[in-house]
Amino acid sequence: MSEPPAPSAPPQDFIRAIVEEDNRTGKHGGRVATRFPPEPNGYLHIGHAKSICLNFGIARQYGGTCNLRFDDTNPTKEDVEYVDAIQEDIRWLGFDWADRLYYASDYFERLYELAEQLVREGNAYVCDLTADEVREHRGTLTEPGKESPYRRRSAEESLDLLRRMRAGEFPDGSRTLRAKIDMASPNLNMRDPVIYRILHAEHHRTGDAWCLYPMYDYAHPLSDMIEGITHSICTLEFEDHRPFYDWVLDALRTPCHPQQIEFARLNLNYTVMSKRKLLELVREGVVSGWDDPRMPTICGLRRRGYTPEAIRDFCDRIGVAKRDSTVDIALLEHCLREDLNRRARRAMAVLRPLRLVIESYPENLVEDIEVPNNPEDPAAGIRRVPFSRTLWIERDDFRETPPPKYWRLFPGNEVRLRSAYLVTCTGVVRDPGTGEVVEVRAAHDPATRGGNAPDGRRVKSTIHWVSAAHAVEAEARLYEHLFAAEDPDAASEGGDWKSSIHPGSLEILRGCKVEHLLAGARPGDRFQFERLGYFCADPDGRPGAPVFNRTATLKDSWAKIEKKQRG
Ligand code: ATP
Ligand code: MG
């Protein structure tokens, strides 16, 4: 919880400082070329959004380019479903790779040629150790590794074996191609890392053309080099891999040598972010899919009602640091509320309805009440909402016996019906069987049309309402954090990270009564339901039977945290 929000000034960080210095010295001829390199093995999440904003943001800021490159070197976990979804999500976030969409698999032939060059020049060898043996030979942080007995194989023999590996002569796992570096290196990544493995598997793009696949650590620097990337920005866990990144490019004397720069990944509380875990939640049906509104995925946030502007603002505010930390999800919600408060149209919706009958109001009269669409934005105009004798109000806005400081409806008390009239509670109707209050009766003051008394008398509360005859039935889905624990991994203490899943994280309310204009809400339309929170129409809704996801409540816990921090 250590990253304070910065004002929305142009972000300045250590990576942009490097880029500016490089531009000043002409290191890359003044060029700035970045890339966003997702592996198509899952949907993008809010952590990826940080990387997207950074890579595309830097390119935009310095007049450079940012490529989208699918790092598809692992055929067994990848899928075109993910390839399509990733592109949709990046576009939705507001970024564009123009015609620079690439796949690491497009470079397989070139990567293989370079591997042959490494072998010919004595920088790589074919090793016949099994994966377990390679691991045993690797040593530990305190002990040097042991050289493979195949390390001294001649270049000719390795080259011949490599070609036969490619030709499919050997089974999976029987041989690997390894870089010849230093088995005593203090950096385990430099102890003759495997750069090719045999895998007889269908690839989603290259089909069965290959049974030999490059390792990520080998493919990545070369893909960057082929694309002429200048700044290869990645997360901190790759810091120890940087020496190998540089070794590959140096060993092959490539004409272009991108600079790898690491930054701290985004961690958020009350959620998990690894794609493996998110996939598990989907597969086990803990959530309804990758786009379940409780997921930290981009498509989940979108379905929940998040705006791209709010997510970009969040990414600007958390900044880019070199040390890992966890960001409070309240900050993300704060960015969302700020944006929606400015832009979301107001509407009246009653989630837990209770009937209110205005006994003094004529039976068949319907008046159009003018209500502002957004008090924050006069340009949003006004709308007309029908008012009649029988209304729906929130069950919680009435108490027969009011607790202290309760100023809403109770017998004898006067309240304002938003923009309509002042009404005084005159009594209740009970269910004869259960004694439960099923209807509240009231009298209105006809002189208070619009909601204000000409004699200046004041009421302490304003409640919202929907005319019963005009109301549209809707479903509302209310969400809480998917995990009850702030850090689900720590909470499980070596046990199951799913142990803190919050079973009450979704509450479905049917039979909600909403303003008639909401009947035509289209999926993705966002509203502020007066006094209740921000809601977004869900694709599960049908015309006349809308479904709304609660995007966020109105209460802003981050604003409170901020205030406390300021003293
Ligand atoms: P995960 O750990 O969730 O599986 P990953 O790093 O394997 O993610 P990639 O598809 O390889 O996922 O990620 C694409 C890019 O996004 C990489 O450059 C990676 O560093 C970056 N990235 C992934 N997760 C985060 C995060 N939490 N914060 C910032 N950047 C991230
Ligand atoms: Mg990765």
Side-chain angles (χ1 to χ4, degrees):
M1 284 3 62
S2 54
E3 299 190 42
S8 297
Q12 185 57 36
D13 52 64
F14 78 96
I15 300 182
R16 286 175 165 88
I18 293 172
V19 171
E20 285 181 15
E21 178 63 10
D22 290 347
N23 280 348
R24 201 182 58 76
T25 62
K27 181 172 169 191
H28 304 282
R31 257 179 354 104
V32 177
T34 58
R35 84 287 171 266
F36 175 65
E39 190 183 344
N41 62 350
Y43 282 64
L44 298 182
H45 53 58
I46 180 79
H48 292 116
K50 175 175 177 177
S51 177
I52 291 167
C53 289
L54 185 60
N55 279 296
F56 282 93
I58 284 179
R60 191 178 280 175
Q61 188 175 342
Y62 297 102
T65 53
C66 180
N67 300 350
L68 171 59
R69 181 200 316 143
F70 286 105
D71 243 316
D72 55 352
T73 50
N74 186 359
T76 55
K77 289 190 183 160
E78 296 161 1
D79 204 301
V80 278
E81 174 195 351
Y82 301 135
V83 169
D84 296 341
I86 287 170
Q87 295 183 56
E88 184 188 352
D89 289 348
I90 300 172
R91 280 206 197 89
W92 179 78
L93 279 173
F95 298 103
D96 182 14
W97 51 92
D99 56 355
R100 296 177 311 277
L101 169 62
Y102 302 116
Y103 294 83
S105 56
D106 292 341
Y107 312 138
F108 279 175
E109 189 62 46
R110 180 92 180 98
L111 299 184
Y112 175 81
E113 283 166 18
L114 292 168
E116 284 206 354
Q117 182 184 333
L118 285 177
V119 172
R120 279 197 308 274
E121 295 179 352
N123 287 319
Y125 60 97
V126 169
C127 178
D128 302 355
L129 296 181
T130 64
D132 284 342
E133 289 166 337
V134 168
R135 209 170 305 122
E136 280 160 24
H137 278 70
R138 188 177 296 131
T140 64
L141 283 174
T142 50
E143 275 171 58
K146 280 195 308 240
E147 293 192 351
S148 160
Y150 305 97
R151 198 174 201 262
R152 287 187 203 171
R153 206 167 232 169
S154 71
E156 291 71 32
E157 189 187 352
S158 276
L159 198 56
D160 174 61
L161 285 169
L162 179 62
R163 288 176 179 163
R164 289 166 58 196
M165 283 161 72
R166 177 180 181 172
E169 285 187 30
F170 309 117
D172 289 1
S174 57
R175 288 192 163 83
T176 55
L177 181 68
R178 297 177 67 181
K180 195 189 281 186
I181 311 179
D182 178 6
M183 288 308 292
S185 170
N187 184 337
L188 295 177
N189 296 303
M190 297 297 271
R191 294 185 186 171
D192 290 10
V194 170
I195 58 179
Y196 269 92
R197 57 188 174 141
I198 300 173
L199 195 63
H200 292 263
E202 278 264 322
H203 185 280
H204 72 106
R205 281 179 65 83
T206 57
D208 58 5
W210 292 89
C211 58
L212 188 64
Y213 288 95
M215 302 302 286
Y216 175 88
D217 274 353
Y218 172 74
H220 201 81
L222 293 175
S223 303
D224 282 347
M225 179 275 293
I226 291 168
E227 292 175 19
I229 300 302
T230 55
H231 301 85
S232 179
I233 301 167
C234 62
T235 36
L236 276 182
E237 69 271 23
F238 290 102
E239 196 169 14
D240 290 345
H241 299 238
R242 185 175 357 115
F244 183 65
Y245 183 102
D246 290 330
W247 181 92
V248 171
L249 298 174
D250 288 341
L252 290 165
R253 300 176 305 280
T254 58
C256 146
H257 192 128
Q259 179 182 0
Q260 175 178 306
I261 306 169
E262 308 88 16
F263 71 99
R265 63 171 46 229
L266 168 66
N267 301 302
L268 270 186
N269 56 6
Y270 297 105
T271 190
V272 294
M273 205 93 92
S274 114
K275 280 188 279 191
R276 182 179 62 74
K277 291 179 180 168
L278 296 176
L279 179 63
E280 208 169 312
L281 294 173
V282 172
R283 289 229 170 111
E284 295 184 1
V286 174
V287 294
S288 62
W290 284 98
D291 68 346
D292 185 297
R294 291 165 294 176
M295 292 279 272
T297 50
I298 304 299
C299 55
L301 294 169
R302 175 164 66 232
R303 187 163 179 186
R304 176 82 172 251
Y306 271 76
T307 61
E309 289 82 359
I311 295 175
R312 293 201 304 261
D313 180 34
F314 171 74
C315 291
D316 281 352
R317 288 187 195 219
I318 56 175
V320 179
K322 279 197 209 194
R323 236 179 332 127
D324 275 319
S325 66
T326 299
V327 176
D328 197 323
I329 197 162
L331 175 58
L332 178 61
E333 291 164 355
H334 173 77
C335 296
L336 176 72
R337 287 190 185 94
E338 266 199 5
D339 188 33
L340 291 180
N341 184 42
R342 268 191 302 263
R343 297 199 291 159
R345 274 200 28 195
R346 273 45 171 179
M348 292 199 281
V350 174
L351 299 188
R352 295 175 177 89
L354 176 64
R355 188 186 302 272
L356 174 71
V357 176
I358 319 283
E359 293 171 316
S360 54
Y361 198 83
E363 286 277 357
N364 294 318
L365 182 62
V366 176
E367 287 181 277
D368 278 338
I369 302 288
E370 293 190 344
V371 186
N373 281 328
N374 185 351
E376 299 288 320
D377 175 16
I382 54 142
R383 68 187 185 285
R384 293 189 169 74
V385 182
F387 183 90
S388 64
R389 187 172 195 266
T390 304
L391 309 170
W392 295 112
I393 61 168
E394 254 355 292
R395 200 155 261 288
D396 195 44
D397 284 338
F398 171 79
R399 298 287 170 86
E400 221 179 345
T401 315
K405 296 202 178 132
Y406 185 92
W407 306 118
R408 289 171 271 166
L409 265 190
F410 54 86
N413 194 39
E414 185 173 51
V415 301
R416 175 182 299 106
L417 295 176
R418 163 81 80 215
S419 306
Y421 288 102
L422 301 187
V423 299
T424 303
C425 177
T426 53
V428 299
V429 176
R430 290 171 200 286
D431 178 306
T434 63
E436 190 198 359
V437 173
V438 291
E439 187 176 297
V440 178
R441 313 289 284 190
H444 78 303
D445 176 352
T448 59
R449 165 98 203 241
N452 292 307
D455 65 2
R457 77 178 184 276
R458 292 179 175 278
V459 293
K460 282 214 166 104
S461 86
T462 299
I463 66 176
H464 62 277
W465 48 272
V466 175
S467 165
H470 305 86
V472 171
E473 288 251 339
E475 176 179 317
R477 300 176 182 171
L478 311 184
Y479 302 98
E480 303 285 344
H481 301 317
L482 185 53
F483 292 87
E486 199 167 331
D487 180 349
D489 291 303
S492 65
E493 275 175 25
D496 187 1
W497 56 272
K498 285 172 286 184
S499 62
S500 74
I501 285 175
H502 178 204
S505 57
L506 167 60
E507 183 185 2
I508 298 179
L509 300 176
R510 300 203 172 82
C512 305
K513 312 286 184 182
V514 305
E515 218 178 284
H516 69 301
L517 288 171
L518 295 180
R522 280 171 318 212
D525 284 354
R526 304 182 188 91
F527 303 91
Q528 185 195 101
F529 288 175
E530 301 245 11
R531 301 174 61 231
L532 297 175
Y534 295 100
F535 286 75
C536 178
D538 190 85
D540 283 349
R542 279 169 292 107
V547 173
F548 294 99
N549 295 311
R550 186 171 67 195
T551 311
T553 57
L554 294 177
K555 185 183 81 214
D556 191 338
S557 50
W558 184 263
K560 222 190 271 166
I561 295 169
E562 235 186 339
K563 210 163 154 195
K564 216 187 286 167
Q565 280 172 348
R566 275 200 305 264

